[in-house]
Amino acid sequence: MTETATIPGYTVGTWDIDAVHSDIEFTLRHMGVGRSRGRFDKFEGQIVTAADPLESSVTATIDATSINTGNADRDAHVRNEDFLDTDNYPTATFRSTGIRQDGEDWIIDGDFTLHGVTVPVSLETEPGGFTDTPDGGKLLGLSASTTLNRTDFKVGPDGGAMLGEKVKITLEIEATLRN
């Protein structure tokens, strides 16, 4: 028997990620001393919550051209062939391969494809819960994070002197239940 009691209001169904109320952000070192931050403004995805939460699944597609670091010149540079090469790789994708509990923590394992390279990743996930919306719908919330090595995806120069290799990804997700 799984412990759905640790997820308030757990509801079985198919959920569409609400990009207006969700965020995909990243942070990495710059010049070894500071941090550069950014986000992706366009993405979509689905979460399927199964009767057994450990059999649930997640898929998502990120529009890599929607990178937003708050600086148009830097965004253009990150889109070019030196980094994301969005002309050839306009999207990044995530497809879960399993969900597991580690004590009280929830881990979503999956394959993340960026820049044409697929690498297994694990998202440390905190369920925010399930609730009813004022218009009679249902809402799911969760927070998740992982740290990637950008060189695993062949993004940017090798070595971390100018730009750190570790990229922290933080997700704040809200999704609505399909009717």
Side-chain angles (χ1 to χ4, degrees), residues 10 50 61 73 93 131 137 150 154 172:
Y10 187 82
T61 301
D73 291 336
T93 60
T131 193
R150 66 175 176 76
K154 299 180 178 26
E172 293 296 335

Side-chain angles (χ1 to χ4, degrees), residues 17 24 43-46 58-62 92-96 112:
I17 293 174
I24 298 177
F43 50 90
E44 61 184 20
Q46 291 77 41
V58 179
T59 57
T61 301
I62 300 168
T93 60
F94 176 81
R95 179 171 307 278
S96 65
F112 184 62

Side-chain angles (χ1 to χ4, degrees), residues 77-136:
H77 186 215
V78 174
R79 283 185 200 103
N80 81 20
E81 64 277 354
D82 291 342
F83 293 97
L84 295 179
D85 192 8
T86 59
D87 286 344
N88 290 307
Y89 308 104
T91 61
T93 60
F94 176 81
R95 179 171 307 278
S96 65
T97 56
I99 297 176
R100 59 191 163 90
Q101 275 192 276
D102 181 12
E104 293 186 18
D105 298 326
W106 292 84
I107 310 295
I108 301 173
D109 296 312
D111 292 326
F112 184 62
T113 302
L114 174 69
H115 200 244
V117 178
T118 301
V119 173
V121 301
S122 295
L123 298 170
E124 296 178 19
T125 305
E126 177 183 342
F130 297 76
T131 193
D132 295 323
T133 62
D135 64 359

Side-chain angles (χ1 to χ4, degrees), residues 54-67:
L54 300 177
E55 294 178 8
S56 298
S57 64
V58 179
T59 57
T61 301
I62 300 168
D63 179 348
T65 68
S66 75
I67 192 165

Side-chain angles (χ1 to χ4, degrees), residues 30 47 65:
H30 180 253
I47 300 166
T65 68

